[in-house]
């Protein structure tokens, strides 16, 4: 009888914990808030990379552990079928690493494909943060969330929102970019 009562209590405890950890729809990722009539214009300009999240036990965040900070410039292509990203990445060892890649626009969608990586899908998601962008990159069996902001520092409430959305999507590992060193010089977005 005591064993049955113990099993019942453990069962109830598990149900209570599960009910507390259930994410409501406002915490889940959604593309609903993206202004599709302005897309992709609202993403042009300068961005700072602030955090990334992934599932535990994957190497999806490994590349970001070498970074101290990163600033990006986004501009459209001449034929308006892609977004060009330029990055100035400051590594933890102090070196500056310039990068450039191209996101191909998907017709009638906010989803993006990365040139040279046909299996990589990048989805854009809305956030309560008016100056933030959340991207989900999926390639083969790995995926991760990326948080960008127009400003190098983010209010803690919006970092908490990113953590909540990450957790609701099953991304328990969250890496905040340190930003302790001076930013590298970023080449002008139009060049």
């Amino acid at each position: 009888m005591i064993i049955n009562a113990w099993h019942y209590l453990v069962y109830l405890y598990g149900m209570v914990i599960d009910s507390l950890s259930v994410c409501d729809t406002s915490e889940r990722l959604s593309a609903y808030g993206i202004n599709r009539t302005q897309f992709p214009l609202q993403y042009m300009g300068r961005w700072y990379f602030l955090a990334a999240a992934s599932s535990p036990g994957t190497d999806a965040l490994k590349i970001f552990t070498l970074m101290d900070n990163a600033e990006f410039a986004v501009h459209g292509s001449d034929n308006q079928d892609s977004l060009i990203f330029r990055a100035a990445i400051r590594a933890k060892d102090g070196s500056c690493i310039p990068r450039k890649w191209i996101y191909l626009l998907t017709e009638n969608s906010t989803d993006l494909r990365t040139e040279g990586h046909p299996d990589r899908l990048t989805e854009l998601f809305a956030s309560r943060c008016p100056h933030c962008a959340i991207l989900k990159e999926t390639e083969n069996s790995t995926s991760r969330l990326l948080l960008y902001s127009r400003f190098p520092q983010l209010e803690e409430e919006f970092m908490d929102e990113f953590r909540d959305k990450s957790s609701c999507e099953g991304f328990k590992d969250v890496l905040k970019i340190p930003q302790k060193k001076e930013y590298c010089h970023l080449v002008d977005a139009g060049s």
Side-chain angles (χ1 to χ4, degrees), residues 15-31:
M15 289 191 60
V16 168
I17 294 300
D18 281 348
S19 69
L20 293 175
S21 65
V22 171
C23 300
D24 69 32
T25 55
S26 68
E27 291 171 339
R28 294 207 178 273
L29 289 175
S30 170

Side-chain angles (χ1 to χ4, degrees), residues 54-120:
S54 72
S55 299
T58 69
D59 287 337
L61 300 182
K62 187 175 182 179
I63 191 169
F64 304 125
T65 62
L66 304 174
M67 283 184 187
D68 178 78
N69 63 59
E71 184 178 5
F72 292 80
V74 180
H75 65 92
S77 63
D78 292 337
N79 57 6
Q80 300 181 357
D81 65 350
S82 60
L83 296 175
I84 300 170
F85 276 55
R86 292 186 190 277
I89 300 167
R90 173 74 72 181
K92 286 183 179 175
D93 70 4
S95 62
C96 290
I97 306 164
R99 289 284 184 260
K100 176 186 171 188
W101 61 96
I102 298 173
Y103 281 120
L104 305 173
L105 299 172
T106 306
E107 193 172 336
N108 298 321
S109 174
T110 59
D111 294 347
L112 308 168
R113 296 284 180 179
T114 306
E115 186 176 78
H117 298 273
D119 294 336
R120 184 180 298 162

Side-chain angles (χ1 to χ4, degrees), residues 138-186:
T138 305
E139 186 169 17
N140 301 322
S141 62
T142 62
S143 61
R144 58 188 172 209
L145 288 184
L146 308 173
L147 175 64
Y148 295 86
S149 173
R150 295 285 188 182
F151 307 104
Q153 302 303 317
L154 188 63
E155 298 92 335
E156 196 56 38
E157 70 179 288
F158 298 130
M159 187 57 75
D160 289 342
E161 178 194 16
F162 178 73
R163 286 186 193 101
D164 289 345
K165 286 184 183 302
S166 298
S167 180
C168 287
E169 296 299 316
F171 299 119
K172 307 292 186 198
D173 290 346
V174 177
L175 174 68
K176 189 173 179 182
I177 304 304
Q179 298 179 304
K180 295 184 183 195
K181 299 183 184 301
E182 184 179 328
Y183 279 84
C184 296
H185 175 69
L186 179 62

